[in-house]
Amino acid sequence: MAIENKKLYRSVEDRMVGGVCAGIADFFDIDPTIVRLVFVLGFFASVSGLFWAYIIMMIVVPEYVPAGEDIVTADVEDVLEKK
């Protein structure tokens, strides 16, 4: 049985506010709507605990960057012109 090494990322494509709920849903392979409902119900049940947890996760959890995209998008000509 192969163990898959999964990491938690905020979603870039399926986001409502910060992509945290969609990222959690991707991590656990469930529907993002269920996670969003749990967060909303938990927010009203605990008043502020889940709100602060969401804000902290927006700051701490990185966004997903597809492997095919480069983080640096500068062209060689642009770099040479600045020298």
Side-chain angles (χ1 to χ4, degrees):
M1 176 192 212
I3 297 175
E4 186 177 338
N5 189 11
K6 295 174 84 171
K7 293 187 179 183
L8 179 63
Y9 293 104
R10 289 187 293 136
S11 178
V12 179
E13 298 171 356
D14 188 19
R15 66 181 353 162
M16 289 283 187
V17 177
V20 174
C21 291
I24 292 171
D26 287 341
F27 185 79
F28 290 110
D29 292 326
I30 57 176
D31 187 25
T33 306
I34 295 170
V35 179
R36 290 179 183 126
L37 286 174
V38 168
F39 263 86
V40 169
L41 294 174
F43 175 76
F44 288 117
S46 68
V47 181
S48 67
L50 231 54
F51 172 76
W52 290 111
Y54 191 89
I55 297 298
I56 291 169
M57 288 181 75
M58 278 180 52
I59 295 168
V60 174
V61 176
E63 285 186 345
Y64 176 73
V65 178
E69 294 182 13
D70 291 332
I71 295 174
V72 179
T73 58
D75 292 328
V76 176
E77 293 82 18
D78 294 339
V79 174
L80 293 175
E81 288 176 4
K82 292 182 182 181
K83 285 188 175 183

